[in-house]
Amino acid sequence: MIGQTLGHYRIEEKLGEGGMGVVYRARDTHLDRPVAIKVLPAETVANPERKRRFVQEAKSASALNHPNIIHIYDIDADQGVDYIAMEYVAGETLDRLIGPEGIPVDAALQHAIQIADALAKAHAAGIVHRDLKPANIMVTGDGHVKVLDFGLAKLFEREQAADSASTRTSPMTEEGAIIGTAAYMSPEQAQGLKVDARSDIFAFGAVLYEMLTGRRAFQGQTKLAILTAVLHQEPRPLEGAPAELENMLACCLRKDPARRIGHMDEVKRALEDLKEKPASSRVVAPAPRRPRARWAAVAAAAALVVAATAWWFVSHRSQPIDSLAVLPFVNAGGDPNTEYLSEGISESLITGLSRVPHLKVKSRDTVFRYKGQDKDAQQVGRDLSVRAVLKGRLVQRGGSLSISAELVDTSDGNLLWRDQYNRRAADILATEQEISREITRQLRLRLTGEEQHRVAASPTGSPEAYRLYIQGRYWWNRRTEESLRKSAEFFQQAIEKDPGYAPAWAGLADAFLLLGERGMPPAEAFPKARAAADRAIELDGTLAEPHASLAHLKEIYEWDWPGAQREFQRAIDLNPEYGTAHHWYAFYLAEMGRFPEALAEIRRARELEPLSPIINSAPIILNYYARQYDRAAQEAGRILEMDPSFFMAHVALGQTYTLQRKPQEAQAELELALQLDHRSAFTLAYAGATAAFSGRREEARKLLQELLDLSRRRRVEPHFLAVIYANLGEKDRAFEFFDRALQERYMRTHFLLDPLLDGIRSDPRFQSMLQRMGLPP
């Protein structure tokens, strides 16, 4: 067509040819300027319907007015030839600029930012490129980028879909059935599925990878081999690239479109942030080049040094990271109505990751001590003795949710991984699973297929059930009677949405278990807890939590000591890192008179949960029960240094001082505990008992009366009244309240080990009570 005229465009030179037509340089005879003319194959617009679609697509593309997008001037037909007249750019296509080692990193980043900006503009207008590749990207002599052919691939794809039923059923077996270039197609495009802007993001990742390395991300000898690589293989890692760049590329090239970066704007911002860093931090090593002969000896020596360094690095840094703390995600939006989301996703990640074999994950009770604190990851690593820390932020705006997460190696403070997820709020369940899978990969954990399935498996397919579940956990963690009742309601609603949701049944068991200790009649609460725990185990016997809850119920309510032993052991076998199971089991062992084992078990619990106040207070109580008063006092001093406001430690220390015959010190500790715990039944009981033991009978009777008055307003455990009467020497009244506890079939059985009850321990009624409960004398 050289020398011919189409409309008022005189064809001067052929520039190139591709699947979507032939491109010529031409002269606009009206405006006397150079233009590019794309002539489309005649068969593409051979009928009126095809012609209409061609015009529609071209008009959409022409509306994209952006400095990095080739501008379309005209669409027309002349002499039976359909063509597009567009801006002519003097320069080279990107595929011609990419050498065997790619292009310089600064240039690659500059090009990539412009490409990302162009794609963001098109996507905002509802236009998807569908055939982004280096050959469709022009670069001028001064480094200015222009992206070609927006929207045209959609026209061709429709043609094939209209012409061939095989397009959807066998896209890889028919050449041309799916329009696009195989090496840059997204997996969904390669399968003939519906595509959207995320398909362009995948192609962008492939283009950027090629710019940086000089090699295609997905390779093969045939189109089928390339498409197989796109669908099933991962690109070779970049050499020497900063973690931010590797992570961004990995997020662009994810096979599942739902797991990719959601918007090109995010990609652009990430690239701009990287470009602002010092050049030394943006070095990407090119593919190794064969040394010339005169440099062979130098290269060989250098290779030995590199190999030795690489061996050291791999041997030290490729070891799996075996311990992790998931810090409470920050509710960055500040909306109190979404606080349950930030707490819930943190707790769900802890639960899910605790299933990973050989990975020690700190519990919620330990890590939530950091809530509201901006702690350095390395400091957290030292505090908790973990190798990695996961931190995150969450913002909800209407129906959209933005979650950012980063994983830090606490040994050196290096960032292992960072990602951002922009999703609908309804997709929080899938996002949490996605983060879990990515973390296990970044921690370099080698899992079997079954283990991978366990980590990735969702306990529910209902996002609404999951949302209700995490609200239940949010309220359960507040541990007041009112919040526990709310939590039970949310767990029940989650179960109504998904009756097979095992964690929701486990949560319901936990709610009723604590309610039975905090206001609800035990005869009402504990059977409900038992039924929920049984159902959770029936649905998923691998969950440690319901086994531990069931063991605790068998201990405090059913007095089934062999059954409790079995369930505690089962919970610990399923999750050796579950500190609460070790904690409860320690008290069970003490009740069985096995104090050395109990103290060893609580030490294990404290190793797992070094910041948990309730677990840290247990060694005080167990040493006190074992009559090791000096050691109990030392333990109390240790925890009060960590948390001077922890009332239970003050109670335990007050009891210890009482038995050490230090009444003034004991009184001071218990008065402080009364203030800190707002004169609860627990603190009133032990303040009264120690006052009576120390001979301060008038004070003891005042505290007893206060406790009796409280019992008229709300439920007070009968044991609390019994311990005061026992130390006042009123044994009949003491056993009256012990009998009430036996009738309720609930007593915190380890309280019977208290030295403050030694004055009635020889009474036959006390021994009869132990026998009725199946406890050793």
Side-chain angles (χ1 to χ4, degrees):
M1 295 189 67
I2 307 301
Q4 297 184 32
T5 299
L6 293 176
H8 55 90
Y9 303 105
R10 185 175 64 251
I11 306 298
E12 296 180 337
E13 178 187 3
K14 181 178 177 180
L15 298 175
E17 185 172 359
M20 298 183 196
V22 183
V23 181
Y24 299 93
R25 179 172 58 80
R27 173 66 56 176
D28 182 341
T29 58
H30 286 179
L31 298 176
D32 192 25
R33 64 177 177 181
V35 296
I37 297 290
K38 172 163 281 194
V39 176
L40 278 81
E43 64 272 16
T44 302
V45 286
N47 64 46
E49 176 58 22
R50 293 176 178 179
K51 181 70 171 285
R52 184 193 65 79
R53 288 202 302 269
F54 160 61
V55 172
Q56 180 181 348
E57 296 298 336
K59 282 182 176 179
S60 296
S62 69
L64 294 175
N65 186 11
H66 188 276
N68 297 118
I69 296 175
I70 291 281
H71 189 63
I72 294 178
Y73 297 143
D74 197 5
I75 51 173
D76 207 345
D78 186 22
Q79 306 170 53
V81 176
D82 288 276
Y83 64 90
I84 304 174
M86 51 193 165
E87 177 184 6
Y88 172 76
V89 177
E92 295 280 2
T93 55
L94 185 58
D95 61 329
R96 295 180 181 178
L97 296 176
I98 298 175
E101 296 178 356
I103 59 179
V105 178
D106 277 346
L109 291 176
Q110 188 60 43
H111 295 344
I113 290 168
Q114 295 178 74
I115 298 166
D117 203 26
L119 289 170
K121 172 71 173 182
H123 294 167
I127 297 173
V128 180
H129 194 292
R130 296 167 183 255
D131 192 26
L132 185 73
K133 57 187 176 182
N136 276 338
I137 299 167
M138 295 289 298
V139 182
T140 65
D142 59 0
H144 193 73
V145 166
K146 292 279 189 176
V147 183
L148 292 71
D149 286 352
F150 269 101
L152 293 185
K154 186 176 181 183
L155 172 66
F156 283 76
E157 184 178 78
R158 284 178 178 171
E159 295 309 318
Q160 293 294 340
D163 289 346
S164 173
S166 67
T167 299
R168 297 294 177 193
T169 59
S170 183
M172 291 189 294
T173 59
E174 182 174 313
E175 187 71 26
I178 298 298
I179 294 299
T181 305
Y184 308 95
M185 282 186 187
S186 65
E188 61 271 24
Q189 189 175 5
Q191 296 175 84
L193 303 176
K194 184 178 180 181
V195 302
D196 55 25
R198 294 172 296 183
S199 190
D200 282 353
I201 292 172
F202 186 93
F204 172 87
V207 171
L208 178 55
Y209 182 94
E210 191 170 339
M211 282 196 285
L212 292 168
T213 66
R215 53 181 288 127
R216 288 183 173 179
F218 306 100
Q219 300 186 30
Q221 296 297 315
T222 65
K223 180 177 180 179
L224 181 59
I226 296 171
L227 291 176
T228 300
V230 167
L231 290 170
H232 303 295
Q233 297 175 15
E234 298 295 337
R236 285 173 50 185
L238 299 179
E239 298 180 25
E244 298 96 321
L245 184 56
E246 278 199 288
N247 288 334
M248 192 210 68
L249 266 177
C251 292
C252 289
L253 293 172
R254 284 173 174 164
K255 308 296 186 189
D256 181 357
R259 298 186 61 222
R260 281 180 218 141
I261 293 178
H263 302 283
M264 283 307 305
D265 281 334
E266 297 174 43
V267 177
K268 181 191 171 189
R269 285 195 296 271
L271 290 167
E272 288 173 335
D273 289 345
L274 186 62
K275 189 135 188 357
E276 290 176 0
K277 293 189 174 184
S280 60
S281 69
R282 301 195 306 269
V283 175
V284 179
R289 179 165 46 184
R290 181 176 298 172
R292 296 177 183 176
R294 62 177 180 168
W295 293 106
V298 175
L304 287 173
V305 175
V306 171
T309 305
W311 175 86
W312 183 93
F313 182 82
V314 169
S315 65
H316 286 73
R317 290 301 303 271
S318 64
Q319 296 300 314
I321 291 176
D322 62 357
S323 52
L324 172 70
V326 180
L327 296 187
F329 275 44
V330 176
N331 178 14
D335 183 355
N337 294 321
T338 61
E339 190 69 20
Y340 79 92
L341 283 175
S342 59
E343 289 195 12
I345 196 168
S346 309
E347 188 162 350
S348 293
L349 285 167
I350 292 168
T351 301
L353 290 167
S354 67
R355 299 178 181 176
V356 177
H358 317 301
L359 178 64
K360 300 174 183 177
V361 182
K362 293 300 176 185
S363 78
R364 180 203 184 277
D365 286 346
T366 288
V367 298
F368 269 61
R369 300 275 293 171
Y370 292 105
K371 186 173 174 63
Q373 303 178 38
D374 186 16
K375 279 281 188 178
D376 174 72
Q378 288 184 279
Q379 182 60 52
V380 174
R382 288 189 290 271
D383 291 345
L384 302 182
S385 299
V386 292
R387 275 288 313 280
V389 167
L390 178 70
K391 305 170 76 173
R393 296 168 61 85
L394 178 149
V395 177
Q396 182 176 3
R397 295 187 180 91
S400 65
L401 191 65
S402 177
I403 299 174
S404 60
E406 64 179 38
L407 188 67
V408 180
D409 187 335
T410 59
S411 66
D412 53 19
N414 284 337
L415 183 68
L416 295 172
W417 165 78
R418 176 187 289 151
D419 208 342
Q420 181 161 333
Y421 304 82
N422 294 303
R423 304 286 190 269
R424 297 179 306 152
D427 294 335
I428 187 171
L429 171 59
T431 306
E432 180 263 313
Q433 292 175 275
E434 192 174 334
I435 295 172
S436 291
R437 285 193 296 266
E438 190 62 27
I439 290 169
T440 56
R441 188 177 76 84
Q442 294 296 333
L443 295 179
R444 301 185 286 276
L445 297 169
R446 296 180 180 178
L447 306 182
T448 66
E450 181 181 352
E451 290 166 346
Q452 289 173 355
H453 176 73
R454 283 186 61 197
V455 174
S458 170
T460 178
S462 168
E464 180 62 14
Y466 176 75
R467 186 183 65 80
L468 291 164
Y469 169 77
I470 61 177
Q471 288 187 82
R473 279 296 175 195
Y474 172 81
W475 288 110
W476 186 83
N477 285 313
R478 298 303 175 269
R479 307 293 178 95
T480 66
E481 182 180 351
E482 181 184 1
S483 70
L484 288 168
R485 290 182 184 274
K486 279 187 179 182
S487 79
E489 291 173 7
F490 279 114
F491 289 136
Q492 190 61 60
Q493 290 175 39
I495 290 165
E496 289 169 3
K497 293 290 182 182
D498 182 0
Y501 191 5
W505 284 103
L508 190 63
D510 289 344
F512 283 122
L513 183 62
L514 290 191
L515 277 170
E517 297 179 348
R518 285 170 169 79
M520 184 179 285
E524 177 186 351
F526 291 146
K528 290 180 178 180
R530 171 64 190 267
D534 285 342
R535 182 59 177 149
I537 292 169
E538 179 185 347
L539 290 167
D540 186 353
T542 67
L543 291 176
E545 291 81 1
H547 283 285
S549 298
L550 182 57
H552 195 45
L553 279 166
K554 287 178 176 291
E555 172 200 357
I556 66 173
Y557 181 66
E558 298 177 3
W559 307 330
D560 175 6
W561 308 107
Q565 167 76 37
R566 287 193 301 272
E567 291 298 329
F568 275 130
Q569 197 58 59
R570 179 63 175 149
I572 291 169
D573 288 345
L574 286 168
N575 184 3
E577 310 304 313
Y578 185 29
T580 297
H582 291 279
H583 174 212
W584 286 344
Y585 187 40
F587 281 92
Y588 165 87
L589 291 169
E591 290 158 3
M592 296 297 102
R594 297 154 61 182
F595 276 100
E597 293 174 74
L599 291 168
E601 198 67 27
I602 203 60
R603 281 196 296 271
R604 176 64 180 141
R606 191 164 64 185
E607 288 171 4
L608 293 169
E609 310 296 348
L611 297 185
S612 169
I614 191 69
I615 288 177
N616 272 284
S617 69
I620 316 171
I621 299 168
L622 290 173
N623 278 292
Y624 167 76
Y625 287 164
R627 280 63 176 173
Q628 301 290 329
Y629 302 128
D630 289 343
R631 188 170 297 172
Q634 289 172 4
E635 292 286 355
R638 192 182 68 82
I639 190 174
L640 288 172
E641 282 183 11
M642 183 172 69
D643 185 359
S645 66
F646 187 45
F647 76 93
M648 285 188 68
H650 288 289
V651 172
L653 186 56
Q655 292 173 262
T656 300
Y657 282 151
T658 298
L659 273 297
Q660 287 180 315
R661 308 293 177 175
K662 298 178 179 179
Q664 292 181 343
E665 293 89 337
Q667 186 176 7
E669 291 296 330
L670 287 157
E671 286 179 356
L672 182 55
L674 284 167
Q675 295 175 23
L676 292 170
D677 196 32
H678 309 291
R679 307 184 79 81
S680 73
F682 175 80
T683 51
L684 284 169
Y686 282 96
T690 57
F693 182 92
S694 300
R696 303 193 308 275
R697 297 179 65 83
E698 183 178 352
E699 179 186 342
R701 289 206 173 273
K702 287 182 179 179
L703 291 165
L704 173 62
Q705 188 58 52
E706 188 175 347
L707 191 58
L708 287 167
D709 292 342
L710 181 64
S711 71
R712 297 185 184 98
R713 300 193 300 273
R714 54 162 298 156
R715 180 178 177 274
V716 170
E717 292 178 35
H719 165 269
F720 290 153
L721 293 156
V723 72
I724 300 180
Y725 281 119
N727 281 278
L728 285 170
E730 299 181 25
K731 294 183 181 182
D732 290 345
R733 290 287 282 166
F735 283 111
E736 176 187 334
F737 282 99
F738 276 130
D739 283 341
R740 288 189 190 180
L742 291 175
Q743 290 167 15
E744 289 183 351
R745 286 197 63 80
Y746 169 65
M747 188 186 303
R748 301 190 191 190
T749 44
H750 65 81
F751 288 170
L752 295 177
L753 301 170
D754 197 324
L756 289 173
L757 296 177
D758 284 355
I760 63 171
R761 200 170 299 278
S762 61
D763 191 297
R765 289 173 290 183
F766 193 91
Q767 296 304 312
S768 174
M769 179 171 59
L770 294 180
Q771 289 175 6
R772 288 167 64 185
M773 298 175 69
L775 286 167

